[in-house]
Short mmCIF file of all heavy atoms in Angstrom, two decimals:
data_model
loop_
_atom_site.label_atom_id
_atom_site.label_comp_id
_atom_site.label_asym_id
_atom_site.label_seq_id
_atom_site.Cartn_x
_atom_site.Cartn_y
_atom_site.Cartn_z
N GLY T 1 34.41 43.52 -39.76
CA GLY T 1 33.40 44.52 -39.43
C GLY T 1 32.32 43.94 -38.55
O GLY T 1 32.15 42.72 -38.47
N MET T 2 31.56 44.81 -37.92
CA MET T 2 30.48 44.38 -37.03
C MET T 2 29.14 44.34 -37.75
O MET T 2 28.16 43.86 -37.20
CB MET T 2 30.39 45.31 -35.81
CG MET T 2 31.68 45.35 -34.98
SD MET T 2 32.24 43.73 -34.46
CE MET T 2 31.19 43.48 -33.06
N VAL T 3 29.10 44.84 -38.98
CA VAL T 3 27.90 44.78 -39.82
C VAL T 3 28.28 44.04 -41.09
O VAL T 3 29.28 44.36 -41.74
CB VAL T 3 27.37 46.20 -40.15
CG1 VAL T 3 26.17 46.12 -41.07
CG2 VAL T 3 27.04 46.96 -38.88
N HIS T 4 27.47 43.03 -41.44
CA HIS T 4 27.72 42.22 -42.64
C HIS T 4 26.48 42.26 -43.51
O HIS T 4 25.38 41.92 -43.06
CB HIS T 4 28.07 40.79 -42.23
CG HIS T 4 29.39 40.70 -41.55
ND1 HIS T 4 30.52 40.25 -42.19
CD2 HIS T 4 29.77 41.05 -40.30
CE1 HIS T 4 31.54 40.32 -41.35
NE2 HIS T 4 31.10 40.80 -40.20
N TYR T 5 26.66 42.68 -44.76
CA TYR T 5 25.57 42.85 -45.71
C TYR T 5 25.79 41.91 -46.89
O TYR T 5 26.82 41.98 -47.57
CB TYR T 5 25.49 44.30 -46.16
CG TYR T 5 24.48 44.60 -47.25
CD1 TYR T 5 23.23 44.02 -47.25
CD2 TYR T 5 24.79 45.50 -48.27
CE1 TYR T 5 22.30 44.30 -48.24
CE2 TYR T 5 23.87 45.79 -49.26
CZ TYR T 5 22.64 45.18 -49.24
OH TYR T 5 21.72 45.46 -50.23
N PHE T 6 24.82 41.01 -47.13
CA PHE T 6 24.88 40.05 -48.23
C PHE T 6 23.91 40.51 -49.31
O PHE T 6 22.72 40.62 -49.07
CB PHE T 6 24.53 38.65 -47.71
CG PHE T 6 25.55 38.16 -46.71
CD1 PHE T 6 25.41 38.44 -45.37
CD2 PHE T 6 26.66 37.44 -47.13
CE1 PHE T 6 26.35 38.02 -44.44
CE2 PHE T 6 27.61 37.01 -46.21
CZ PHE T 6 27.46 37.30 -44.87
N THR T 7 24.44 40.76 -50.52
CA THR T 7 23.66 41.43 -51.56
C THR T 7 22.85 40.48 -52.44
O THR T 7 22.00 40.94 -53.19
CB THR T 7 24.59 42.25 -52.48
OG1 THR T 7 25.52 41.37 -53.13
CG2 THR T 7 25.34 43.31 -51.68
N THR T 8 23.09 39.18 -52.36
CA THR T 8 22.37 38.22 -53.19
C THR T 8 21.18 37.67 -52.41
O THR T 8 21.30 37.36 -51.23
CB THR T 8 23.30 37.06 -53.63
OG1 THR T 8 24.39 37.63 -54.36
CG2 THR T 8 22.57 36.07 -54.51
N GLU T 9 20.04 37.55 -53.08
CA GLU T 9 18.82 37.07 -52.43
C GLU T 9 19.05 35.71 -51.78
O GLU T 9 19.57 34.78 -52.40
CB GLU T 9 17.70 36.96 -53.47
CG GLU T 9 16.37 36.55 -52.88
CD GLU T 9 15.28 36.55 -53.94
OE1 GLU T 9 15.54 36.13 -55.09
OE2 GLU T 9 14.16 36.96 -53.60
N GLU T 10 18.66 35.62 -50.50
CA GLU T 10 18.82 34.38 -49.73
C GLU T 10 17.64 33.45 -50.00
O GLU T 10 16.49 33.83 -49.75
CB GLU T 10 18.92 34.70 -48.24
CG GLU T 10 19.21 33.49 -47.38
CD GLU T 10 20.48 32.78 -47.79
OE1 GLU T 10 21.57 33.35 -47.64
OE2 GLU T 10 20.37 31.64 -48.27
N THR T 11 17.90 32.24 -50.47
CA THR T 11 16.82 31.33 -50.85
C THR T 11 16.84 30.01 -50.08
O THR T 11 16.15 29.07 -50.46
CB THR T 11 16.89 31.02 -52.35
OG1 THR T 11 18.19 30.47 -52.65
CG2 THR T 11 16.63 32.28 -53.18
N THR T 12 17.61 29.92 -49.02
CA THR T 12 17.69 28.68 -48.26
C THR T 12 17.95 29.00 -46.78
O THR T 12 18.20 30.14 -46.42
CB THR T 12 18.80 27.76 -48.82
OG1 THR T 12 18.73 26.49 -48.19
CG2 THR T 12 20.18 28.35 -48.61
N THR T 13 17.87 27.99 -45.95
CA THR T 13 18.20 28.18 -44.54
C THR T 13 19.66 27.79 -44.31
O THR T 13 20.24 27.02 -45.09
CB THR T 13 17.31 27.31 -43.64
OG1 THR T 13 17.51 25.95 -43.96
CG2 THR T 13 15.84 27.68 -43.82
N CYS T 14 20.24 28.34 -43.25
CA CYS T 14 21.62 28.00 -42.92
C CYS T 14 21.86 28.29 -41.45
O CYS T 14 21.04 28.92 -40.78
CB CYS T 14 22.60 28.76 -43.80
SG CYS T 14 22.60 30.55 -43.58
N THR T 15 23.01 27.82 -40.96
CA THR T 15 23.42 28.07 -39.58
C THR T 15 24.74 28.84 -39.63
O THR T 15 25.81 28.24 -39.70
CB THR T 15 23.57 26.76 -38.80
OG1 THR T 15 22.34 26.05 -38.84
CG2 THR T 15 23.95 27.02 -37.35
N PRO T 16 24.69 30.16 -39.60
CA PRO T 16 25.92 30.97 -39.66
C PRO T 16 26.74 30.85 -38.37
O PRO T 16 26.22 30.53 -37.30
CB PRO T 16 25.40 32.40 -39.84
CG PRO T 16 24.00 32.23 -40.36
CD PRO T 16 23.50 30.98 -39.71
N ASN T 17 28.02 31.12 -38.49
CA ASN T 17 28.96 31.04 -37.39
C ASN T 17 29.62 32.41 -37.16
O ASN T 17 30.24 32.96 -38.07
CB ASN T 17 30.05 30.00 -37.71
CG ASN T 17 31.06 29.87 -36.60
OD1 ASN T 17 30.70 29.72 -35.44
ND2 ASN T 17 32.33 29.91 -36.96
N ILE T 18 29.49 32.94 -35.95
CA ILE T 18 30.11 34.22 -35.60
C ILE T 18 31.45 33.94 -34.93
O ILE T 18 31.53 33.16 -33.97
CB ILE T 18 29.18 35.04 -34.67
CG1 ILE T 18 27.87 35.35 -35.39
CG2 ILE T 18 29.89 36.31 -34.20
CD1 ILE T 18 26.81 35.98 -34.50
N ARG T 19 32.50 34.57 -35.44
CA ARG T 19 33.86 34.41 -34.90
C ARG T 19 34.63 35.69 -35.20
O ARG T 19 34.12 36.57 -35.89
CB ARG T 19 34.54 33.20 -35.54
CG ARG T 19 34.73 33.35 -37.04
CD ARG T 19 35.25 32.10 -37.69
NE ARG T 19 35.62 32.39 -39.09
CZ ARG T 19 36.13 31.51 -39.91
NH1 ARG T 19 36.34 30.27 -39.51
NH2 ARG T 19 36.45 31.85 -41.15
N VAL T 20 35.85 35.78 -34.73
CA VAL T 20 36.67 36.95 -35.05
C VAL T 20 37.33 36.75 -36.41
O VAL T 20 37.27 37.61 -37.28
CB VAL T 20 37.71 37.22 -33.95
CG1 VAL T 20 38.64 38.36 -34.34
CG2 VAL T 20 37.02 37.53 -32.63
N SER T 21 37.95 35.59 -36.60
CA SER T 21 38.58 35.23 -37.87
C SER T 21 38.81 33.73 -37.86
O SER T 21 38.51 33.06 -36.87
CB SER T 21 39.91 35.97 -38.05
OG SER T 21 40.88 35.48 -37.13
N SER T 22 39.38 33.20 -38.93
CA SER T 22 39.65 31.77 -38.97
C SER T 22 40.70 31.36 -37.93
O SER T 22 40.75 30.21 -37.52
CB SER T 22 40.09 31.34 -40.36
OG SER T 22 41.29 32.01 -40.72
N ALA T 23 41.51 32.32 -37.48
CA ALA T 23 42.58 32.01 -36.52
C ALA T 23 42.27 32.46 -35.09
O ALA T 23 42.94 32.04 -34.16
CB ALA T 23 43.89 32.67 -36.98
N VAL T 24 41.24 33.32 -34.92
CA VAL T 24 40.95 33.89 -33.59
C VAL T 24 39.47 33.70 -33.29
O VAL T 24 38.61 34.06 -34.09
CB VAL T 24 41.31 35.39 -33.54
CG1 VAL T 24 40.99 35.98 -32.17
CG2 VAL T 24 42.78 35.61 -33.88
N SER T 25 39.18 33.14 -32.13
CA SER T 25 37.79 32.94 -31.72
C SER T 25 37.29 34.13 -30.91
O SER T 25 38.07 34.90 -30.36
CB SER T 25 37.66 31.65 -30.90
OG SER T 25 38.23 31.82 -29.63
N LEU T 26 35.98 34.26 -30.84
CA LEU T 26 35.37 35.28 -29.99
C LEU T 26 35.70 35.00 -28.53
O LEU T 26 35.96 35.91 -27.75
CB LEU T 26 33.87 35.31 -30.23
CG LEU T 26 33.12 36.58 -29.86
CD1 LEU T 26 33.68 37.80 -30.55
CD2 LEU T 26 31.64 36.43 -30.17
N ASN T 27 35.73 33.73 -28.19
CA ASN T 27 36.07 33.32 -26.83
C ASN T 27 37.50 33.77 -26.46
O ASN T 27 37.76 34.09 -25.30
CB ASN T 27 35.93 31.81 -26.68
CG ASN T 27 35.98 31.37 -25.24
OD1 ASN T 27 35.19 31.85 -24.43
ND2 ASN T 27 36.88 30.48 -24.93
N ASP T 28 38.41 33.83 -27.45
CA ASP T 28 39.80 34.25 -27.20
C ASP T 28 39.89 35.71 -26.76
O ASP T 28 40.77 36.06 -25.98
CB ASP T 28 40.66 34.09 -28.46
CG ASP T 28 40.95 32.65 -28.80
OD1 ASP T 28 40.86 31.78 -27.92
OD2 ASP T 28 41.28 32.39 -30.00
N ILE T 29 39.02 36.56 -27.30
CA ILE T 29 39.18 38.00 -27.05
C ILE T 29 38.22 38.57 -26.02
O ILE T 29 38.37 39.71 -25.61
CB ILE T 29 39.06 38.81 -28.36
CG1 ILE T 29 37.65 38.72 -28.93
CG2 ILE T 29 40.11 38.36 -29.37
CD1 ILE T 29 37.35 39.79 -29.95
N MET T 30 37.21 37.78 -25.61
CA MET T 30 36.22 38.29 -24.65
C MET T 30 36.42 37.64 -23.29
O MET T 30 36.78 36.47 -23.20
CB MET T 30 34.80 38.02 -25.15
CG MET T 30 34.43 38.81 -26.39
SD MET T 30 32.72 38.47 -26.94
CE MET T 30 31.79 39.42 -25.73
N THR T 31 36.16 38.42 -22.24
CA THR T 31 36.13 37.89 -20.88
C THR T 31 34.76 38.21 -20.29
O THR T 31 34.01 39.02 -20.83
CB THR T 31 37.25 38.50 -20.01
OG1 THR T 31 37.08 39.92 -19.96
CG2 THR T 31 38.63 38.18 -20.56
N ALA T 32 34.44 37.57 -19.17
CA ALA T 32 33.13 37.76 -18.55
C ALA T 32 32.82 39.24 -18.38
O ALA T 32 33.65 40.00 -17.87
CB ALA T 32 33.08 37.04 -17.21
N GLY T 33 31.66 39.65 -18.84
CA GLY T 33 31.22 41.04 -18.77
C GLY T 33 31.40 41.81 -20.07
O GLY T 33 30.83 42.88 -20.22
N ASP T 34 32.17 41.28 -21.01
CA ASP T 34 32.33 41.94 -22.31
C ASP T 34 31.07 41.71 -23.14
O ASP T 34 30.37 40.71 -23.01
CB ASP T 34 33.53 41.39 -23.07
CG ASP T 34 34.86 41.83 -22.49
OD1 ASP T 34 34.88 42.77 -21.67
OD2 ASP T 34 35.88 41.22 -22.86
N VAL T 35 30.80 42.64 -24.07
CA VAL T 35 29.63 42.55 -24.94
C VAL T 35 30.00 43.06 -26.34
O VAL T 35 30.80 43.98 -26.47
CB VAL T 35 28.42 43.32 -24.36
CG1 VAL T 35 28.71 44.81 -24.26
CG2 VAL T 35 27.17 43.07 -25.15
N VAL T 36 29.44 42.41 -27.36
CA VAL T 36 29.56 42.89 -28.74
C VAL T 36 28.17 42.88 -29.36
O VAL T 36 27.31 42.09 -28.96
CB VAL T 36 30.54 42.05 -29.61
CG1 VAL T 36 31.95 42.13 -29.08
CG2 VAL T 36 30.09 40.62 -29.73
N THR T 37 27.98 43.75 -30.33
CA THR T 37 26.73 43.79 -31.08
C THR T 37 27.07 43.57 -32.55
O THR T 37 27.93 44.25 -33.10
CB THR T 37 26.02 45.14 -30.88
OG1 THR T 37 25.75 45.31 -29.49
CG2 THR T 37 24.71 45.18 -31.64
N VAL T 38 26.39 42.60 -33.14
CA VAL T 38 26.65 42.21 -34.53
C VAL T 38 25.35 42.34 -35.31
O VAL T 38 24.29 41.95 -34.83
CB VAL T 38 27.15 40.75 -34.59
CG1 VAL T 38 27.43 40.33 -36.01
CG2 VAL T 38 28.38 40.56 -33.71
N THR T 39 25.44 42.88 -36.52
CA THR T 39 24.28 43.00 -37.41
C THR T 39 24.59 42.28 -38.71
O THR T 39 25.65 42.48 -39.30
CB THR T 39 23.96 44.48 -37.70
OG1 THR T 39 23.73 45.15 -36.46
CG2 THR T 39 22.74 44.62 -38.59
N VAL T 40 23.65 41.43 -39.13
CA VAL T 40 23.77 40.71 -40.39
C VAL T 40 22.54 41.04 -41.23
O VAL T 40 21.41 40.85 -40.79
CB VAL T 40 23.89 39.19 -40.16
CG1 VAL T 40 23.94 38.45 -41.49
CG2 VAL T 40 25.13 38.87 -39.32
N ILE T 41 22.78 41.53 -42.45
CA ILE T 41 21.70 41.95 -43.34
C ILE T 41 21.72 41.04 -44.56
O ILE T 41 22.75 40.89 -45.22
CB ILE T 41 21.89 43.42 -43.77
CG1 ILE T 41 21.99 44.31 -42.53
CG2 ILE T 41 20.77 43.87 -44.70
CD1 ILE T 41 22.53 45.70 -42.82
N THR T 42 20.56 40.44 -44.84
CA THR T 42 20.44 39.59 -46.03
C THR T 42 19.35 40.15 -46.94
O THR T 42 18.42 40.80 -46.48
CB THR T 42 20.10 38.14 -45.66
OG1 THR T 42 18.82 38.08 -45.03
CG2 THR T 42 21.15 37.55 -44.73
N THR T 43 19.48 39.88 -48.23
CA THR T 43 18.44 40.26 -49.18
C THR T 43 17.33 39.23 -49.06
O THR T 43 17.56 38.03 -49.22
CB THR T 43 19.02 40.32 -50.61
OG1 THR T 43 20.11 41.26 -50.60
CG2 THR T 43 17.98 40.79 -51.60
N ALA T 44 16.14 39.70 -48.70
CA ALA T 44 15.06 38.82 -48.23
C ALA T 44 14.43 37.96 -49.32
O ALA T 44 14.30 38.37 -50.46
CB ALA T 44 13.97 39.67 -47.57
#
């Protein structure tokens, strides 16, 4: 999905990784000029 909602309160910092799946990269499916919009929601 393009929207990801995490229901447990976030209590630390992290560096998330955006990809298509463990087997497919975003670079694999996009070419110059393509655009995606991703939303990530965390419990504050």
